[in-house]
Amino acid sequence: MFKEARIKLTVWYLAIIMTISLSFSGVIYVGVNRELTRLESFQRTRIQGIIRGFPVPVEVSPSLDSDAVAESRARIILILGLINLSILVLSGLGGYFLAGLTLDPIKEMVDKQKEFVSNASHELRTPLTSLTTEIEVALRDKNITLGAAKKLLASNLEEVKKMNNLSSYLLKLNRFENDSSQIEFKQVDLKDIALNAMDKIIPLAAASKVKIVEKLHIAKVRGNEESLTELATILLDNAVKYSKEGGNIEIKTYGMSLEVVDHGIGISEEDIPHIFDRFYRADSSRSKERTDGYGLGLSIAKSIADLNSAGIKVDSKVGRGSTFTVTF
Ligand code: ADP
C-alpha cells in the first residue's frame, strides 16, 4: 500500500516540477528566439546598407547569418531538452526519496495503530474466551447446584468488569489523545487536583493497607481540571498497586509540579523507556500477586501531560520505589 502511495506521490512531484520546468523552458525559448530573430533582421539591414553604400563581394550574403541563427535555435532546443531531461531524472530520484520521507511518519502511525488494535483485541479476547468456556461448561452440567451457579456468575462478573475497565481505558486514551479544541483550559491549583485524586484512591489504598501522606502546597498552573485529576489518579493508583502492604506513598505539589512518590517494587532501567508505551507492562508487575492492569494507565497519563503542555518523568530503583513528577 505504501509502495504504491510512494510511487503516486513521486509522479505528482514530477508532474509539478516538470510543468514548471517546461513552462520556463518555453518562455526561455520564445525570448531567445525573439532575440535571435531581432539580431538576424538587424544584421540583414546592416549588410543591405553596406551593400547599398559600397561594392560588397557576393559571398557576404545575409543568408549565411540565417543558417547560423537556425543552428543556434536548434542548439538552444537541444540544451533546453537536456536540461529538462536532467531535471526529470534528478527530480524523479529526489521525489522518490522525499515521498519516502513524507510517508514514513504516516506509515509509523498506521503500524502503531494496527499494533494497538491487535493488542486491544487480544486483551478483550482473553476475558471473552474465559467467559464463553465457563458458561459452556456450566450449561453442559445438568446437575449444577445453585452454589456452583452463583460461583460461576461471580467469576463471570469479574471477567465482565475486566472488559468494562479495558473499554473505559480505551475510551480515555481516545479522548485525551485526540484534538484538544473541545477541552477547557483554565487556571487550576494542583493542590485541589491532588485532593480530588486522593478522594478516588483512598478506598483502594485502605484495602491495600497503604497510607497516603500529603505534602501539598499551592501550585497554580493553566490546564484542564478533569484530565489532570485523571492523571494524578493514575499515578496514585499505580503507587498503591506497586507498593508493599503497609507501605507509605506521598503526594506533593509545589511550584508548578505534582509528584507521586512510592517505596514499592520500583522499575528496572530496561523497563523505564517503555512504561509510557501502550500495553507495556514490566515482567515484575505481571508476576506480582496483583496483576490487574493493561499497561494503558501511563500512556493515558502521558497523553494528558501532552494535552496540558506538561512534562512527565520518572525516577526509579528496583526494590526502592519510584517517583513520578509532572512539571508544567
Ligand atoms: P498497568 O499499571 O495497568 O500495568 P501502566 O501503564 O499504568 O499499566 O504502567 C505500565 C507499567 O509500568 C506497569 O505494568 C509497571 O510495570 C510499571 N509501573 C508503573 N507505575 C509503577 C510504580 N509506581 N511502581 C512500579 N512500577 C510501575
Side-chain angles (χ1 to χ4, degrees):
M1 173 191 151
F2 276 96
K3 200 162 170 64
E4 206 178 293
R6 190 173 181 177
I7 292 170
K8 265 190 194 163
L9 206 56
T10 310
V11 171
W12 274 109
Y13 284 153
L14 265 182
I16 294 167
I17 294 170
M18 288 319 292
T19 310
I20 297 172
S21 172
L22 287 172
S23 313
F24 270 112
S25 302
V27 172
I28 290 170
Y29 179 74
V30 170
V32 171
N33 190 35
R34 206 172 278 167
E35 239 354 80
L36 280 176
T37 315
R38 201 177 63 83
L39 201 74
E40 189 188 22
S41 77
F42 173 70
Q43 281 207 339
R44 190 180 293 126
T45 322
R46 239 180 88 186
I47 290 169
Q48 276 165 0
I50 293 168
I51 293 170
R52 254 182 255 118
F54 303 94
V56 176
V58 183
E59 305 90 73
V60 187
S61 153
S63 68
L64 275 181
D65 276 343
S66 291
D67 286 348
V69 168
E71 198 187 318
S72 296
R73 268 194 201 112
R75 263 198 204 148
I76 288 162
I77 291 176
L78 184 72
I79 291 169
L80 286 177
L82 283 175
I83 291 175
N84 275 291
L85 193 67
S86 321
I87 291 177
L88 182 76
V89 174
L90 287 177
S91 56
L93 292 174
Y96 190 70
F97 174 72
L98 277 182
L101 282 189
T102 314
L103 290 172
D104 268 355
I106 303 172
K107 185 172 181 304
E108 209 174 290
M109 217 170 73
V110 171
D111 287 347
K112 270 193 180 167
Q113 204 63 31
K114 274 190 191 161
E115 193 191 332
F116 174 69
V117 171
S118 116
N119 281 332
S121 331
H122 175 78
E123 293 291 350
L124 272 173
R125 211 169 37 205
T126 313
L128 270 176
T129 311
S130 139
L131 257 180
T132 317
T133 320
E134 281 179 356
I135 295 171
E136 276 172 358
V137 169
L139 282 177
R140 259 186 256 128
D141 183 357
K142 293 196 179 90
N143 305 317
I144 190 164
T145 60
L146 184 64
K150 278 195 170 176
K151 209 169 147 199
L152 174 91
L153 282 176
S155 160
N156 288 170
L157 192 63
E158 274 306 303
E159 302 300 339
V160 172
K161 275 185 188 163
K162 276 188 194 163
M163 286 191 284
N164 205 11
N165 271 348
L166 177 60
S167 67
S168 85
Y169 269 130
L170 295 178
L171 285 174
K172 278 177 200 163
L173 201 59
N174 184 48
R175 178 140 168 255
F176 297 127
E177 269 196 351
N178 286 339
D179 98 293
S180 57
S181 54
Q182 309 283 321
I183 293 180
E184 187 200 358
F185 293 94
K186 57 178 186 179
Q187 203 182 55
V188 290
D189 190 347
L190 291 177
K191 186 179 169 181
D192 298 333
I193 301 278
L195 287 169
N196 288 342
M198 275 174 62
D199 282 348
K200 294 188 181 184
I201 293 300
I202 280 171
L204 176 76
S208 310
K209 299 193 176 68
V210 171
K211 192 172 161 218
I212 306 180
V213 179
E214 49 177 283
K215 293 182 180 166
L216 304 177
H217 301 282
I218 290 174
K220 297 231 164 115
V221 298
R222 198 173 159 70
N224 171 260
E225 194 174 347
E226 186 207 340
S227 64
L228 289 174
T229 308
E230 183 67 43
L231 165 56
T233 311
I234 291 170
L235 297 183
L236 278 177
D237 182 50
N238 279 348
V240 172
K241 240 172 33 180
Y242 300 111
S243 278
K244 293 159 195 129
E245 214 178 82
N248 271 0
I249 62 174
E250 288 135 50
I251 180 158
K252 304 178 187 173
T253 56
Y254 52 87
M256 294 179 96
S257 303
L258 179 143
E259 207 167 277
V260 176
V261 184
D262 70 64
H263 310 281
I265 63 170
I267 308 164
S268 72
E269 260 178 52
E270 301 87 72
D271 285 321
I272 287 182
H274 307 290
I275 55 170
F276 293 100
D277 294 348
R278 295 157 168 188
F279 290 106
Y280 187 85
R281 302 198 78 204
D283 286 340
S284 52
S285 30
R286 289 180 203 275
S287 59
K288 225 195 146 222
E289 258 174 58
R290 270 187 83 100
T291 52
D292 48 326
Y294 296 98
L296 286 175
L298 286 181
S299 48
I300 297 173
K302 174 82 174 64
S303 306
I304 295 175
D306 290 346
L307 186 76
N308 286 277
S309 311
I312 180 164
K313 70 176 177 85
V314 58
D315 189 14
S316 187
K317 281 227 156 57
V318 174
R320 303 269 290 274
S322 316
T323 300
F324 283 85
T325 314
V326 182
T327 309
F328 283 77

